Amino acid sequence: MVTDAQHNNIHSHRILVLDFGSQYTQLIARRIREIGVYCEIRAFDMSEDEIKAFAPKGIILAGGPESVTEAGSPRAPEIVFSYGVPVLGICYGMQTMAAQMGGAVQGSNEREFGYAQIRLAGENDFIKQTKDHVDSDGNALLDVWMSHGDKVTAMPAGFEVMAGTPSCPIAGMVHKEKQFYGVQFHPEVTHTKQGGALLEHFMLGICRCDALWTPANIVEDAIERVREQVGTDHVLLGLSGGVDSSVVAALLHKAIGAQLTCVFVDNGLLRKNEGDQVMEMFAKNMGVKVIRANAEELFLSRLQGVSDPEQKRKVIGNTFIDIFDEESSKIDNVQWLAQGTIYPDVIESAAAKTGKAHVIKSHHNVGGLPEDMKLGLVEPLRELFKDEVRKIGLELGLPYDMVYRHPFPGPGLGVRILGEVKKEYADILREADAIFLEELHKADWYHKTSQAFVVFLPVKSVGVVGDGRRYEWVVSLRAVETIDFMTARWAHLPYELLETVSNRIINEISGISRVAYDVSSKPPATIEWE
Ligand code: XMP
């Protein structure tokens, strides 16, 4: 039963995920959160004291790119095996568990990658009555996703085989008394059909966590903590119209109302009507105090003659800081600065500090803030993954279309106008982009793509309209499908849709004579053109 005290702390039923560097670790954490249990990702070499202070109700040893057979490869802290809570080792996590407890792991240069069918060996409390198929001998089978080279070849004392395949006879192992489990397959990926059920049973059944981590509870908890942190002080927020800063604005408005002031910088590089929409939603509908700084002229004048992409980013970023600084200095009595930092940023910067990050996406977000501001930081989304931010956005009453919109880069249209940025180009691009997005929505393709936009090419091309010859600009449509924005496939939009968009852009916008479609995937191309 959940007591009031536990309800008061939605972090109390918590799982520790120790990271050995796998690209799947964040996915494991997201799955646990989806089940309704709070968890944190920490580096594999977390100290004993830190683990005790964390007080997990269960521990997951995640995967990693190294081989436990190699000297110096990472190991789990010994306390994991004596602390007295259930432990689940996944892939590398299972192998290091086996190696550390006296079993054997065999290295291999051959990777087993993809679907596998594992045969379950008898009853145990982990894979309990879970099956996808039954073979002719009556054995239960599970369809799982494997991705490994090494495998456990001898189990430590006290363990039993939980599941196996012909090529990997120990694909799962269990120490029933200690409640230690190891799986060679990946329960966190959707290809493992019963993966969600297995993880849910581990969290709720075996670790006995309550599902307290729900959008409503997260909002309530965040509001309470913000109120505690800032008291009666005033808070400043740079509102960009993107998902994270919008959710922070809605959350802080609910928590502290008039103690919040937002600054929205219109840099002239926003999408069509974007500035008005932000003001309408936050200032007019929600009653949030928003100062709109119309700084198009300053941004464009500073961008004059600048054509190098990185230089453009710098100019835009610095100008943003200048304006933000100027506007905020007009507001009296501000002690705190709110930011939309989310959990992946926290994980990545922690990994960057310890040098353990294998792949780090570096992003120069506009809004890098002046160091001499001397304000305390309020970061109410620090613990949340993007999907959780979206869910609490809906919980706070933000419209679906705003919460699930495509990401938009900080430098805005500045990196979608190739070379030098001019007002004429930005105005044309805004119109073309609006048509593309409108048609994507109409054809029900907007949410099937992860990001879609138009790019302005500063080259002229000949066309004919009626009897007249036109010599005008060229634009390219760009639409991609991606999960993590690190790799992406160009979206296979229907020809009819491309045709409608192209016709509309050329007919409705004077100044554009030709529309192209970008069929480059990432890598080698990037999503943005600059
Ligand atoms: P690329 O072009 O690197 O983009 O494949 C990957 C994702 O990052 C976004 N992006 C940026 N976002 N400031 C941002 O805030 C930037 O300078 C920037 N550059 C790229 C891009 O829109 C895509 O979602």
Side-chain angles (χ1 to χ4, degrees):
M1 211 186 85
V2 186
T3 65
D4 280 352
Q6 283 165 341
H7 258 314
N8 285 342
N9 187 353
I10 59 171
H11 300 83
S12 60
H13 285 212
R14 49 169 54 197
I15 297 289
L16 174 62
V17 180
L18 288 179
D19 181 23
F20 293 87
S22 159
Q23 54 175 351
Y24 291 116
T25 308
Q26 287 198 26
L27 191 55
I28 296 175
R30 277 171 45 205
R31 293 277 176 263
I32 298 171
R33 301 274 191 97
E34 274 165 19
I35 292 162
V37 177
Y38 180 71
C39 66
E40 282 183 28
I41 296 176
R42 297 294 186 85
F44 66 87
D45 57 358
M46 193 177 178
S47 75
E48 273 199 32
D49 287 345
E50 284 172 323
I51 293 178
K52 283 185 196 152
F54 187 86
K57 287 178 77 71
I59 298 173
I60 291 194
L61 306 176
E66 292 176 64
S67 170
V68 296
T69 61
E70 272 166 33
S73 55
R75 293 287 177 271
E78 283 302 325
I79 188 179
V80 166
F81 306 112
S82 58
Y83 186 67
V85 296
V87 180
L88 169 61
I90 298 175
C91 198
Y92 187 93
M94 169 186 179
Q95 293 159 11
T96 197
M97 178 192 278
Q100 287 181 251
M101 297 186 75
V105 175
Q106 195 179 67
S108 159
N109 291 329
E110 265 172 55
R111 284 194 80 76
E112 182 176 2
F113 182 81
Y115 277 108
Q117 211 165 52
I118 56 170
R119 202 172 76 182
L120 304 185
E123 276 277 299
N124 64 74
D125 66 344
F126 185 72
I127 306 184
K128 207 177 186 178
Q129 293 165 351
T130 308
K131 57 175 176 274
D132 290 314
H133 315 277
V134 178
D135 70 9
S136 51
D137 299 330
N139 297 303
L141 303 172
L142 275 189
D143 293 332
V144 300
W145 183 259
M146 295 272 214
S147 170
H148 68 110
D150 297 359
K151 60 189 173 198
V152 174
T153 47
M155 288 178 294
F159 277 81
E160 295 168 29
V161 175
M162 196 154 66
T165 71
S167 64
C168 181
I170 309 174
M173 62 180 196
V174 50
H175 191 305
K176 287 181 175 162
E177 196 189 316
K178 290 185 191 285
Q179 292 191 298
F180 291 168
Y181 310 86
V183 289
Q184 189 52 68
F185 60 89
H186 287 270
E188 70 277 16
V189 303
T190 48
H191 307 290
T192 299
K193 284 190 210 143
Q194 305 296 333
L198 291 175
L199 287 176
E200 179 168 331
H201 178 59
F202 180 71
M203 302 305 143
L204 308 185
I206 296 174
C207 300
R208 301 186 174 279
C209 290
D210 294 320
L212 305 174
W213 192 254
T214 61
N217 285 350
I218 297 170
V219 168
E220 194 186 320
D221 177 74
I223 287 176
E224 222 170 90
R225 289 198 290 159
V226 167
R227 285 183 182 152
E228 240 170 62
Q229 186 183 4
V230 308
T232 54
D233 292 350
H234 284 259
V235 180
L236 178 70
L237 167 69
L239 185 60
S240 70
V243 179
D244 301 339
S245 70
S246 297
V247 172
V248 173
L251 184 68
L252 293 188
H253 181 64
K254 194 158 180 195
I256 56 171
Q259 286 162 250
L260 170 71
T261 305
C262 300
V263 173
F264 171 68
V265 179
D266 187 340
N267 57 10
L269 302 169
L270 302 172
R271 285 163 292 190
K272 191 176 176 186
N273 297 332
E274 195 161 13
D276 295 342
Q277 281 163 4
V278 169
M279 294 308 288
E280 164 111 11
M281 169 144 60
F282 288 99
K284 201 165 151 219
N285 294 350
M286 290 171 62
V288 179
K289 232 191 290 169
V290 187
I291 297 172
R292 177 176 182 165
N294 290 316
E296 179 182 33
E297 272 179 36
L298 181 67
F299 276 88
L300 292 182
S301 68
R302 288 202 187 165
L303 282 168
Q304 221 171 6
V306 184
S307 53
D308 174 69
E310 287 308 304
Q311 194 55 32
K312 288 200 281 182
R313 280 191 168 85
K314 271 195 200 121
V315 170
I316 297 169
N318 291 339
T319 309
F320 179 91
I321 291 171
D322 291 347
I323 303 278
F324 190 80
D325 223 4
E326 187 187 320
E327 291 301 325
S328 47
S329 69
K330 295 181 195 158
I331 313 163
D332 290 336
N333 196 27
V334 173
Q335 292 86 0
W336 300 91
L337 179 74
Q339 282 194 321
T341 314
I342 66 173
Y343 194 42
D345 305 332
V346 175
I347 299 170
E348 277 170 22
S349 58
K353 265 188 218 136
T354 56
K356 282 185 198 110
H358 289 258
V359 197
I360 299 171
K361 186 168 69 165
S362 70
H363 263 167
H364 357 239
N365 253 319
V366 166
L369 290 144
E371 276 168 15
D372 56 358
M373 292 222 334
K374 298 196 182 68
L375 298 177
L377 278 185
V378 179
E379 299 180 305
L381 311 181
R382 256 184 94 80
E383 293 183 331
L384 306 182
F385 287 108
K386 193 84 175 187
D387 43 349
E388 295 174 314
V389 171
R390 294 198 155 113
K391 282 183 197 151
I392 74 161
L394 293 180
E395 181 74 31
L396 285 160
L398 293 177
Y400 183 92
D401 278 348
M402 122 122 281
V403 165
Y404 282 90
R405 70 198 305 203
H406 292 168
F408 185 61
L413 301 187
V415 291
R416 293 179 179 172
I417 293 167
L418 305 192
E420 187 180 358
V421 177
K422 294 184 183 169
K423 180 163 165 53
E424 177 205 347
Y425 300 167
D427 288 341
I428 291 177
L429 177 55
R430 252 187 286 276
E431 295 301 323
D433 193 68
I435 291 175
F436 187 29
L437 295 187
E438 187 187 320
E439 291 301 329
L440 280 171
H441 275 295
K442 258 199 235 161
D444 216 8
W445 264 90
Y446 181 83
H447 292 294
K448 290 183 210 155
T449 61
S450 316
Q451 206 170 5
F453 52 89
V454 181
V455 183
F456 182 89
L457 279 53
V459 288
K460 285 202 164 182
S461 162
V462 175
V464 271
V465 176
D467 294 333
R469 180 179 178 279
R470 265 167 54 167
Y471 187 53
E472 306 284 10
W473 302 112
V474 180
V475 295
S476 174
L477 312 178
R478 178 73 162 142
V480 295
E481 292 165 10
T482 172
I483 306 268
D484 56 10
F485 295 88
M486 313 265 273
T487 61
R489 185 179 92 137
W490 62 274
H492 294 199
L493 299 180
Y495 283 164
E496 296 71 25
L497 172 57
L498 291 171
E499 187 176 18
T500 308
V501 174
S502 160
N503 284 342
R504 278 197 61 194
I505 289 178
I506 295 172
N507 289 326
E508 294 175 30
I509 306 171
S510 69
I512 296 179
S513 65
R514 201 170 287 265
V515 175
Y517 187 47
D518 180 356
V519 289
S520 331
S521 287
K522 176 183 178 178
T526 51
I527 296 173
E528 304 288 347
W529 277 42
E530 281 197 338

